[in-house]
Amino acid sequence: KAAGVRKGCQVDEVAGTRVASGNWLDVFQKSPMPFELKLTCGGDLNGQGHGPLSHEDSQLLRVMVAKKPYGMNVQVNKVPRVVEVLPGFPAEAAGIRRGHVLVKVNDKPVDATNWFEEYQAAKLPFTMALDTAVPVQPDNPFFKARKKDKGSKHQHLSDKQARKKDKDSKHHHHSDKHTKRESDELEDEYEQALLDAEVLEALGGNLEDEFPEAVEEEEPVPTKGYEEFRCSVEALPFGMKVAAPPGSRPKVKGVIPGGPADHAGVRIGDVLIEVAGRPVTSETWFAAMQQAITPYGLLFRRPTTEHAKAAADKTAPRLLAVPAVPKSEP
């Protein structure tokens, strides 16, 4: 404060080195003292600022990852969204919550196609930006709205929505342009729209409180057409991307080339069965991997060559032979 640094100042240089949000802390910590800081400070003392030390947007959460395992389970439905934050891990301490969407790693925009590779490749320490206000799609299996009382659903409608319903209701009863069947279909569509709006409203309220509906039965462990594969995790991060929608077995969807999982022989399509000797499911695999003390073992079920080929044949497009039509005589 005595040097004139205030909230909103942007750090431009540390010890003569130009810095950005992805490397400023590393340069700051490694520079021998004393060293010079160059900052750009605007005139708004109450502003949020626009530099590595502040939030560019009020709905963005910027965090520094200085240690792994980080305790943040990211799964993709449409976007890379946090579905689980382990208590006591750095992610929780950084303020990351269930429902946040990862949008940047070291200032590089990420999405469903590249977030895992960028996250795994980033060298500690590095920065992440998460959007705290991205609505959840209604088809996201990791988030389900709490059930509401049907009798009270109209209490949540705005005045504009209520007037629209009243207008549509009168139109339903008095219009002679629609048959009864058509009117019933319109009413059903309207009711569905109301329910969809309530789902989105509930999901947008407090995502951290919205958990998947209880899975009645976990997908059985695959046996026929699969063989066992075991490997050892010597250190984390392991470089293995796992997809585990509620009720489905955790399945490997990506392996970082040249990473520990790749060297251990893990393949895309492997189904995770045990971590450190403990059976795991879609609900428990992530915590088991993050909390186990390395080295520990993993047990997978791997599709056999014949099974994998049969599965590929089922999804491959079929070409049908169409007999030639004989030309008619003139």
Side-chain angles (χ1 to χ4, degrees):
K1 185 175 181 181
V5 179
R6 60 179 183 266
K7 182 179 179 181
C9 289
Q10 174 176 317
V11 179
D12 298 320
E13 291 186 11
V14 176
T17 302
R18 295 287 298 180
V19 294
S21 59
N23 70 338
W24 74 269
L25 183 60
D26 187 45
V27 175
F28 187 94
Q29 292 177 332
K30 292 180 179 178
S31 297
M33 296 182 67
F35 58 85
E36 184 180 64
L37 282 178
K38 286 189 177 181
L39 305 97
T40 300
C41 298
D44 182 7
L45 297 179
N46 297 317
Q48 291 290 336
H50 298 281
L53 301 181
S54 60
H55 293 245
E56 183 177 353
D57 192 316
S58 60
Q59 70 185 29
L60 286 185
L61 171 67
R62 292 183 181 272
V63 300
M64 179 68 66
V65 180
K67 181 182 178 181
K68 288 185 179 181
Y70 198 58
M72 175 184 74
N73 184 4
V74 175
Q75 297 284 316
V76 172
N77 182 46
K78 299 289 191 301
V79 294
R81 189 182 295 273
V82 177
V83 301
E84 180 181 9
V85 178
L86 297 181
F89 278 71
E92 182 188 49
I96 296 175
R97 298 293 180 261
R98 174 176 157 80
H100 291 177
V101 173
L102 182 60
V103 294
K104 289 183 180 181
V105 174
N106 272 345
D107 269 351
K108 181 176 180 178
V110 295
D111 55 23
T113 64
N114 69 338
W115 77 267
F116 181 71
E117 289 73 17
E118 294 298 330
Y119 180 83
Q120 291 287 320
K123 294 182 179 180
L124 297 173
F126 64 91
T127 61
M128 297 190 305
L130 299 100
D131 196 321
T132 63
V134 179
V136 174
Q137 294 293 325
D139 65 344
N140 192 320
F142 298 94
F143 296 83
K144 297 292 183 182
R146 291 189 296 256
K147 293 183 178 179
K148 294 184 177 182
D149 181 11
K150 275 191 172 183
S152 63
K153 70 179 181 179
H154 295 301
Q155 295 177 3
H156 302 288
L157 296 177
S158 65
D159 292 339
K160 182 177 180 181
Q161 289 172 316
R163 287 195 299 270
K164 182 178 185 300
K165 178 170 177 61
D166 181 63
K167 179 180 178 181
D168 289 349
S169 178
K170 290 179 180 179
H171 177 75
H172 169 65
H173 290 295
H174 299 290
S175 175
D176 56 359
K177 294 183 180 180
H178 299 287
T179 63
K180 183 179 185 303
R181 181 177 178 180
E182 290 172 335
S183 297
D184 290 342
E185 290 176 352
L186 289 173
E187 184 70 16
D188 290 343
E189 289 177 2
Y190 181 79
E191 292 296 330
Q192 185 59 51
L194 289 179
L195 292 175
D196 290 344
E198 287 188 350
V199 168
L200 291 174
E201 178 186 358
L203 289 172
N206 188 353
L207 294 177
E208 196 172 6
D209 293 337
E210 304 300 337
F211 286 85
E213 294 176 350
V215 179
E216 295 182 1
E217 186 176 355
E218 187 82 8
E219 183 181 14
V221 175
T223 54
K224 187 177 180 180
Y226 287 77
E227 59 188 7
E228 285 192 356
F229 170 73
R230 296 178 182 270
C231 70
S232 178
V233 178
E234 301 297 328
L236 295 177
F238 193 51
M240 178 179 71
K241 184 179 181 180
V242 175
S248 300
R249 288 287 165 182
K251 183 179 292 186
V252 178
K253 291 294 185 179
V255 177
I256 297 297
D262 188 21
H263 289 307
V266 178
R267 299 178 189 171
I268 293 176
D270 287 348
V271 180
L272 185 59
I273 304 300
E274 290 183 6
V275 174
R278 297 165 46 197
V280 294
T281 65
S282 59
E283 295 184 24
T284 62
W285 75 272
F286 180 72
M289 284 203 65
Q290 296 274 293
Q291 294 171 349
I293 304 299
T294 56
Y296 60 84
L298 299 179
L299 172 62
F300 297 89
R301 288 289 170 85
R302 172 173 293 172
T304 61
T305 304
E306 295 78 8
H307 181 79
K309 184 177 183 301
D313 290 342
K314 284 184 179 180
T315 57
R318 295 178 178 270
L319 299 178
L320 300 177
V322 179
V325 179
K327 294 183 178 180
S328 59
E329 293 294 333

